[in-house]
Amino acid sequence: MCKMQNIQTTGGLFTDVIRRLILSNITKVFSCKEEDVEELISVQAGMTNIVLSFRLNGGKFIYRHPGLGSEIIVERGRETIIQMYFS
């Protein structure tokens, strides 16, 4: 199991700033407190993304955070259209 402070991406080290941003995003979406987010761990080593799983209020969730340079590699508009087509 990989702890948050040990996560690295091709875009650089997983910094405390990124950790706080991720926790802020999760707490906004779920209207919860940071203390409510449990077992935030890395589940995938992607080319640019940081992918984490976490537990909240008895449920288990996946969070994908775009890494540095991902906007150069991935066409987000096209990705959105493809996701809409296959959903």
Side-chain angles (χ1 to χ4, degrees), residues 35-66:
E35 303 84 51
D36 299 332
V37 179
E38 301 175 326
E39 299 179 28
L40 189 58
I41 57 171
S42 173
V43 294
Q44 178 185 5
M47 282 180 53
T48 60
N49 292 330
I50 299 168
V51 182
L52 306 165
S53 70
F54 66 95
R55 291 191 179 277
L56 178 66
N57 298 327
K60 189 168 183 178
F61 302 90
I62 296 291
Y63 178 90
R64 182 179 74 172
H65 187 80

Side-chain angles (χ1 to χ4, degrees), residues 10-78:
T10 54
L13 291 174
F14 183 72
T15 66
D16 193 51
V17 172
I18 299 295
R19 181 188 65 79
R20 287 194 310 267
L21 178 61
I22 288 172
L23 283 172
S24 174
N25 289 342
I26 292 170
T27 58
K28 285 178 189 173
V29 168
F30 289 96
S31 299
C32 66
K33 297 177 184 175
E34 284 188 18
E35 303 84 51
D36 299 332
V37 179
E38 301 175 326
E39 299 179 28
L40 189 58
I41 57 171
S42 173
V43 294
Q44 178 185 5
M47 282 180 53
T48 60
N49 292 330
I50 299 168
V51 182
L52 306 165
S53 70
F54 66 95
R55 291 191 179 277
L56 178 66
N57 298 327
K60 189 168 183 178
F61 302 90
I62 296 291
Y63 178 90
R64 182 179 74 172
H65 187 80
L68 297 173
S70 63
E71 69 280 358
I72 296 168
I73 298 171
V74 179
E75 290 184 51
R76 297 292 178 202
R78 185 175 185 179

